[in-house]
């Protein structure tokens, strides 16, 4: 599904709508560690920094905060004359132990994936089925519990389906709003699930009981399609706008600068 | 000038110290700078019922597949370029091992608590997640200080100390006394593993005179002190097939073969015979050289 773009730069793909929707998650973050994990979310973060959020700090995916606009999947480290060579501009060294200090300190907005997410934004990528003998062992808890309780979190889900958007996740890795509420206002004061972006639309939790709400539909996707692909009842406002179009500058940046190899199309087709 | 003590030893002598049921910490991260020559020595031994504490990679997968493990404490088990370790998955899905999964940051706090000899460290990480439900040994603690609203003290997760019997880490360079130098991008948590254990053994690509460290990197890279190291093993390509930059990158082809060996018991048997049933690390390294020569002659055809 492609849509003609107003700026006349050619058809905008679904993957490109997703990139722009991801970039929009970081609007207003200012001088914050923008830490998207995943291909399209990474491109979106880079796009936000190249345009409307220039003060964002970003990682190289390994051990630095980098000023370079590294295309997704780039590994800037190599061996040269027996020494470690870095093909990037480093702002600061941030090895893993330091990353935990950074995130416990709070100036971070992470974007994680999820094998399951529920209507309050609880997320699971540890395992499917019984924890002690899982049907499918997945990633483990990784950093999800600590991330979600310490700083802003968004999610990027490239395969929106009822198997992923479920009534109840099998294991809570990332903490959702119902769990946060049970903890009380003090323990949950740094908890915020900002946005969920999928291949079909964008979602937030701006409802009285923080239930997931449709925020926008990607052009070419109907509300019915989203409802069909979701395993729980979404809050649906009277007026659901389309996800916004990229500007000509944004399209240029996505296609020529940030993701010249079109890796975005491997995550979301079309 | 003073000299460092000589702590040189071998993989097999280290593994001879291990006992069934011990808790073993393994440094590195995923498929990066793992002390694989020590892991291979463990695979040659009959030591069993181990608890492995690791930011897990193929160290965990291999030890599980070969039946040495009762319990795994981890935040993940990943091969980096391959997101999941297939052997660990097989063991988990068969219910063959006990999995004690922590948030990656909680894991660090557990190592720090052990290193600092305190029973726990407090954190917000874990609150509201299923970790306290699934890992019932993890308790919460109430702060003795007023909350930010002037109310009662905050409830926090009390991450218990990850006390280790033995830690195994791999460095790029070390001296014979056990001072260790990492030359890659990240020390990972190896410094904490060294302090969290009763005994720590350090393998390295090359043992060098202490005064030669500056030839390889700035003094900031001399992260490990001999204070916390009990034995040093010179193990060139000892981290193979994991990444050990700048000495060498990950052997992606080998890692793919390792992954595929989880597909069937026959595939595992074949992999084991070819790579894990050598009498010594030397035999493994020779087999690797033969494989490299085969690849070259194929390429030359």
């Amino acid at each position: 599904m492609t849509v003609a773009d107003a700026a006349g730069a050619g058809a905008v793909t679904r993957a490109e709508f997703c990139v722009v929707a991801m970039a929009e998650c970081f609007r207003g973050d200012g001088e914050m560690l923008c830490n998207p994990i995943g291909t399209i979310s990474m491109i979106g973060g880079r796009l936000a920094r190249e345009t409307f959020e220039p003060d964002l700090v970003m990682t190289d995916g390994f051990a630095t905060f980098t000023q370079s606009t590294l295309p997704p999947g780039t590994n800037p480290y190599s061996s040269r004359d027996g020494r470690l060579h870095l093909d990037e501009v480093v702002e600061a060294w941030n090895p893993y132990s330091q990353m935990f200090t950074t995130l416990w300190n709070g100036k971070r907005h992470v974007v994680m994936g999820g094998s399951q997410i529920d209507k309050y934004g609880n997320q699971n990528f540890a395992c499917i089925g019984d924890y002690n003998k899982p049907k499918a062992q997945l990633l483990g808890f990784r950093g999800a519990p600590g991330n979600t309780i310490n700083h802003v979190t968004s999610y990027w889900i490239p395969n929106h389906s009822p198997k992923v958007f479920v009534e109840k996740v099998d294991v809570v890795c990332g903490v959702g709003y119902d769990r946060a509420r049970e903890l009380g206002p003090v323990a949950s004061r740094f908890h915020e699930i900002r946005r969920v972006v999928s291949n079909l639309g964008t979602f937030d939790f701006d409802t009285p009981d923080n239930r997931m709400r449709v925020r926008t539909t990607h052009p070419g996707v109907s509300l019915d399609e989203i409802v069909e692909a979701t395993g729980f009842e979404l809050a649906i406002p009277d007026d659901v706008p389309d996800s916004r179009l990229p500007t000509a500058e944004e399209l240029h940046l996505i296609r020529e600068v940030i993701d010249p190899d079109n890796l975005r199309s491997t995550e979301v087709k079309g | 000038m003073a000299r460092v003590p000589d702590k040189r030893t071998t993989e097999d002598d280290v593994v001879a110290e291990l006992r069934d049921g011990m808790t073993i910490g393994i440094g590195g991260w995923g498929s990066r700078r793992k002390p694989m020559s020590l892991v291979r020595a463990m695979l040659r031994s009959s030591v069993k019922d181990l608890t492995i504490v690791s930011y897990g990679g193929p160290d965990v997968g291999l030890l599980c597949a070969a039946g040495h493990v009762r319990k795994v404490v981890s935040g993940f088990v990943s091969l980096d370029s391959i997101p999941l370790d297939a052997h660990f998955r097989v063991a988990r899905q068969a219910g063959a091992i006990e999995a004690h999964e922590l948030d990656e940051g909680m894991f660090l706090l557990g190592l720090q608590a052990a290193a600092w000899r305190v029973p726990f460290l407090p954190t917000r990480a874990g609150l509201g997640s299923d970790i306290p439900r699934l890992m019932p040994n993890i308790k919460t603690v109430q702060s003795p200080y007023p909350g930010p609203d002037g109310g009662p003290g905050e409830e926090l997760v009390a991450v218990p100390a990850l006390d280790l019997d033995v830690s195994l880490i791999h460095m790029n360079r070390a001296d014979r006394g056990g001072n260790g130098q990492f030359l890659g991008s990240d020390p990972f948590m190896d410094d904490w593993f060294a302090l969290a254990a009763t005994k720590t053994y350090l393998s390295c690509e090359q043992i060098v005179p202490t005064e030669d460290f500056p030839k390889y990197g700035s003094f900031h890279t001399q992260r490990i002190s001999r204070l916390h190291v009990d034995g040093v093993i010179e193990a060139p390509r000892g981290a193979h097939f994991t990444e050990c930059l700048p000495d060498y990158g990950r052997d992606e082809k080998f890692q793919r073969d390792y992954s595929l060996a989880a597909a069937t018991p026959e595939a595992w048997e074949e992999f084991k015979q070819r790579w894990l049933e050598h009498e010594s690390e030397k035999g493994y390294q020779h087999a690797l050289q033969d494989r490299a020569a085969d690849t070259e002659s194929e390429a030359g055809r």
Side-chain angles (χ1 to χ4, degrees):
Chain A
M1 178 64 60
T2 56
V3 175
D5 127 67
V12 180
T13 66
R14 177 74 61 77
E16 287 161 349
F17 282 116
C18 293
V19 167
V20 172
M22 278 311 323
E24 282 294 328
C25 297
F26 304 108
R27 191 179 284 279
D29 276 356
E31 198 164 35
M32 171 92 91
L33 175 59
C34 163
N35 199 175
I37 301 162
T39 300
I40 281 179
S41 49
M42 170 63 89
I43 301 166
R46 296 266 191 260
L47 181 65
R49 185 167 68 162
E50 292 290 323
T51 54
F52 53 83
E53 286 296 333
D55 291 346
L56 291 173
V57 172
M58 293 190 77
T59 76
D60 67 357
F62 299 92
T64 75
F65 296 150
T66 182
Q67 207 169 67
S68 305
T69 303
L70 303 172
T74 307
N75 183 338
Y77 303 89
S78 60
S79 180
R80 191 175 285 183
D81 302 326
R83 293 229 176 197
L84 190 68
H85 176 77
L86 276 68
D87 197 10
E88 60 176 327
V89 176
V90 173
E91 292 190 24
W93 186 42
N94 186 61
Y96 285 114
S97 60
Q98 180 64 29
M99 181 60 114
F100 296 115
T101 293
T102 304
L103 81 88
W104 292 328
N105 183 257
K107 286 184 189 161
R108 180 177 187 235
H109 181 168
V110 76
V111 182
M112 297 188 288
S115 306
Q116 294 179 324
I117 189 164
D118 71 18
K119 62 182 163 187
Y120 293 112
N122 295 293
Q123 168 260 23
N124 172 28
F125 52 19
C127 67
I128 301 294
D130 172 23
Y131 175 79
N132 293 311
K133 194 182 172 188
K135 246 188 281 177
Q137 170 69 27
L138 304 172
L139 294 176
F141 282 85
R142 300 251 27 169
N147 292 345
T148 46
I149 206 70
N150 279 296
H151 59 62
V152 179
T153 302
S154 293
Y155 291 104
W156 161 236
I157 313 278
N159 52 337
H160 196 135
S161 85
K163 281 192 168 169
V164 181
F165 286 69
V166 295
E167 185 67 35
K168 205 170 179 321
V169 299
D170 293 1
V171 174
V172 175
C173 299
V175 179
Y177 278 101
D178 54 340
R179 292 287 189 104
R181 193 174 301 113
E182 281 168 30
L183 291 172
V186 170
S188 64
R189 66 193 186 279
F190 306 121
H191 175 267
E192 181 188 342
I193 310 298
R194 174 79 51 86
R195 206 74 56 84
V196 177
V197 177
S198 82
N199 55 320
L200 301 183
T202 68
F203 308 84
D204 61 31
F205 300 88
D206 296 342
T207 51
D209 64 344
N210 298 119
R211 192 152 54 92
M212 198 188 292
R213 177 186 86 136
V214 186
R215 184 182 172 91
T216 67
T217 54
H218 297 331
V221 179
S222 70
L223 258 180
D224 286 347
E225 213 176 311
I226 288 177
V227 168
E228 188 92 348
T230 304
F232 55 83
E233 196 188 334
L234 284 159
I236 302 176
D238 293 340
D239 182 31
V240 179
D242 273 358
S243 309
R244 80 163 171 87
L245 287 163
T247 65
E249 185 205 2
E250 286 173 331
L251 271 183
H252 167 74
L253 285 167
I254 295 169
R255 292 173 180 178
E256 310 299 333
V257 179
I258 305 172
D259 183 28
D261 294 334
N262 197 15
L263 288 181
R264 59 195 178 280
S265 72
T266 62
E267 217 170 37
V268 170
K269 302 271 177 264
Chain B
M1 198 158 64
R3 301 183 69 95
V4 297
D6 189 350
K7 299 180 189 169
R8 285 175 297 174
T9 181
T10 67
E11 285 94 351
D12 292 313
D13 286 342
V14 168
V15 170
E17 301 275 310
L18 305 184
R19 297 286 169 265
D20 292 350
M22 271 190 170
T23 298
I24 312 288
I26 302 182
W29 178 284
S31 189
R32 301 179 220 174
R33 208 160 38 70
K34 285 284 177 181
M36 295 301 283
S37 74
L38 283 158
V39 170
R40 285 186 281 271
M42 288 166 77
L43 294 168
R44 288 194 295 273
S45 80
S46 58
V47 65
K48 60 178 191 301
D49 294 331
L50 298 174
T51 293
I52 301 295
V53 178
S54 175
Y55 287 94
D59 50 336
V60 172
L62 282 165
L63 289 165
C64 285
H68 297 266
V69 180
R70 184 179 67 78
K71 179 176 172 182
V72 174
V73 180
S74 66
F76 57 82
V77 180
S78 170
L79 304 178
D80 295 314
S81 51
I82 302 172
L84 305 171
D85 182 289
H87 299 273
F88 178 67
R89 292 195 87 189
V90 168
R92 277 285 278 140
Q93 289 164 199
I97 49 159
E98 187 186 331
H100 191 79
E101 290 187 16
L102 299 172
D103 167 270
E104 295 166 7
M106 291 175 72
F107 188 123
L108 171 58
L109 290 170
L111 292 178
Q112 288 173 328
W116 294 331
R117 304 181 297 170
V118 294
F120 71 88
L121 284 171
T123 179
R124 206 166 279 115
L127 288 177
S129 78
D130 270 352
I131 287 181
R133 179 175 75 80
L134 296 168
M135 265 55 79
N137 71 315
I138 293 175
K139 317 278 188 207
T140 58
V141 65
Q142 190 181 6
S143 164
Y145 304 107
D149 55 356
E154 283 189 67
E155 192 88 354
L156 296 165
V157 171
V159 181
L162 281 170
D163 294 311
L164 309 173
D165 293 310
V166 171
S167 275
L168 309 173
I169 60 176
H170 187 77
M171 291 284 126
N172 299 89
R173 303 287 177 273
D175 65 18
R176 57 175 62 181
N179 294 305
Q181 182 178 37
F182 79 99
L183 301 173
S185 61
D186 196 318
F188 307 122
M189 309 308 175
D190 290 7
D191 41 358
W192 295 108
F193 274 104
L195 271 78
T198 308
K199 295 241 180 197
T200 293
Y201 298 100
L202 181 160
S203 59
C204 64
E205 290 300 312
Q206 192 186 348
I207 292 179
V208 300
T210 313
E211 61 271 25
D212 280 1
F213 282 131
K215 288 184 187 168
Y216 302 100
S218 78
F219 74 93
H220 306 89
T221 60
Q222 291 175 243
R223 192 75 193 97
I224 306 293
S225 160
R226 66 183 165 90
L227 281 175
H228 314 294
V229 175
D230 298 275
V232 182
I233 303 103
E234 187 170 59
R237 292 195 78 81
H240 180 268
F241 50 94
T242 70
E243 176 189 285
C244 188
L245 285 175
D247 293 313
Y248 44 89
R250 187 180 297 122
D251 187 339
E252 297 288 358
K253 182 181 182 310
F254 193 104
Q255 178 157 290
R256 277 194 299 277
D257 291 346
Y258 159 74
S259 252
L260 291 172
T264 61
E266 296 74 35
W268 166 246
E269 202 50 46
E270 199 184 317
F271 180 87
K272 206 168 70 165
Q273 278 177 20
R274 181 162 184 206
W275 296 112
L276 306 177
E277 293 185 350
H278 297 285
E279 267 176 35
S280 66
E281 175 68 10
K282 219 175 213 168
Y284 175 84
Q285 296 291 345
H286 278 310
L288 272 183
Q289 280 165 11
D290 292 347
R291 165 175 164 270
D294 285 352
T295 313
E296 264 169 44
S297 66
E298 270 171 39
R301 242 175 252 156

